[in-house]
Amino acid sequence: MKKLITALLLSASATSAFAADQMTVSGKKVTMSDTRSTLIQKFGKPESGTAQFSNWTLGNLSIYASHPSKGLSQFSVTQTGRKSGSPVITTGGKTLQLGKDTIRTATDKLKHGCFSFDEGRQGSTYSMALQPAGQKYYIILETTGDAYDVRTMAGMPITGFTFTKENPESSEGCR
């Protein structure tokens, strides 16, 4: 019995520890190992770009990829409208959906992150950043809206996400 329980625990921890972080955008899976050519296969010819970056607009999604060498250094998706079939992020065995999940629900699911709040004339941006265990990149979830306080922004739907190799800033600390 002990061997069975140990095997189940090892299997469960291996599944979540080694599950690849990924994004699903317009039904296509994207990981940080994608290249410009694999992204073109998935999303078609970019609207603009160079050998180092690409931009696409797919329906209500604005997509940006930075790919200076092998793999991606940054991949971001911003939702410009509220449409079903939103992009999905999977990290650490947890799933988050743009336009549905909020920073608050992401915090509940992921249990940790660093937060930033930027207040501007035209609205505010509240973001949550985390570094998946054992990875050399960060995931940033972002909510943009007309609210001017963290509490309200935390309850608004996530409007964009970024997978990046650059260390994000945090103005509100980490938990």
Side-chain angles (χ1 to χ4, degrees), residues 21-116:
D21 295 329
Q22 65 184 23
M23 304 143 271
T24 304
V25 181
S26 295
K28 311 291 185 198
K29 290 183 182 177
V30 178
T31 68
M32 290 300 281
S33 63
D34 273 307
T35 63
R36 184 174 196 271
S37 71
T38 61
L39 291 176
I40 289 172
Q41 290 173 4
K42 294 175 185 184
F43 301 120
K45 183 179 176 186
E47 290 178 13
S48 63
T50 66
Q52 282 75 38
F53 75 92
S54 302
N55 290 300
W56 292 266
T57 301
L58 300 175
N60 68 333
L61 303 175
S62 176
I63 301 171
Y64 170 81
S66 174
H67 36 73
S69 58
K70 293 181 181 179
L72 295 171
S73 65
Q74 180 177 328
F75 184 84
S76 62
V77 176
T78 304
Q79 193 172 34
T80 58
R82 305 283 182 228
K83 183 180 169 189
S84 61
S86 298
V88 173
I89 303 165
T90 304
T91 182
K94 305 293 182 187
T95 300
L96 301 166
Q97 184 175 5
L98 259 60
K100 179 180 176 190
D101 280 294
T102 65
I103 299 288
R104 189 173 295 125
T105 60
T107 304
D108 291 344
K109 288 179 181 182
L110 302 173
K111 307 293 184 212
H112 64 86
C114 296
F115 302 86
S116 185

Side-chain angles (χ1 to χ4, degrees), residues 117-124 145-153:
F117 181 69
D118 295 316
E119 185 176 342
R121 272 189 190 176
Q122 303 298 319
S124 301
D146 292 332
Y148 294 97
D149 64 280
V150 170
R151 185 177 176 95
T152 303
M153 293 295 289

Side-chain angles (χ1 to χ4, degrees), residues 1-13:
M1 184 67 166
K2 283 184 181 180
K3 287 181 183 180
L4 176 60
I5 292 172
T6 303
L8 288 172
L9 288 173
L10 286 174
S11 172
S13 65

